[in-house]
Amino acid sequence: MPKKSTAQIRRMQKRAEARGDKYEAPASDSFHVAADNDAASQKKITPHKNDMARARAAKNLKKSLADIDSNPDLKAKERRSAKRKAEAIATEEAGGCDTDTLLEWYENEGSSIRIVEQSRDTPSIKGPKTKKQKKNTPYILFIGQLAFATTADGLFNHIQHKIGKDERTGKELITPETLKVRLLTDSKKKDRSRGMAFVETNDPELSHQLLKLHHTNLDGRRINVERS
């Protein structure tokens, strides 16, 4: 019989605890788990920047899911939609890591990582003060309830058609330079669409217009457009 991995044993122990039971791993497997834990405790790990981002994403996701579950005003459909949105945001912030893997990693390792929050107002200490440069802050919106057949190009074309052209210049307001589309896909299913996307723009007015596309129809589905 193949030996169980440390992660498998931990999952089985958690399931047993949820049932009020206690899971006893076979002696050979227990030895490997103990050896893994000893090795991990002896090895000093310096958190990588990506680990901090993943830990922050997982922490925020756990809080969001708890808030959603505890909100009595949400209907079942709204609750599912809110959870999908929270999971999509976490996946994006964690660099594409799926949420099941992200949360398991956080429970086993990530929760011990000290998350350093960077202040945006901290002045630079390098060199003399110079005139502040205006930095474009991207506006990111979440698109949900997309048909699985909808492509990134299809979503882009839908937005371009609905927003239309500038009345003064006659030029398209939606171009590859003014709007970026990131369609979320599932790597485990040959990059099949997950029915969700993020769109990003640096124009606050354009961001406001995009929100007006909430509940417009695309490929037979009424899509959701919300602030990320």
Side-chain angles (χ1 to χ4, degrees), residues 38-39 43 47 53 76 83 86 94 104 107 110 120 123 128 130 157 179 193 213-215 224:
D38 290 343
K43 184 178 179 182
K83 285 184 177 181
E104 182 176 348
E107 291 296 330
R120 296 181 180 179
T130 58
N157 292 335
L179 186 76
S193 169
L213 301 186
H214 184 58
H215 284 177
N224 293 336

Side-chain angles (χ1 to χ4, degrees), residues 143 146-161 174-176 179-185 191-200 218-219 223:
I143 313 292
L146 292 170
F148 292 131
T150 299
T151 63
D153 288 341
L155 177 58
F156 180 90
N157 292 335
H158 172 75
I159 295 173
Q160 188 180 61
H161 173 71
I174 301 298
T175 67
L179 186 76
K180 295 179 181 178
V181 176
R182 299 195 299 278
L183 186 69
L184 303 187
T185 59
D191 290 332
R192 178 191 176 190
S193 169
R194 295 173 55 197
M196 298 175 282
F198 288 101
V199 295
E200 178 180 323
L218 173 61
D219 294 334
I223 65 174

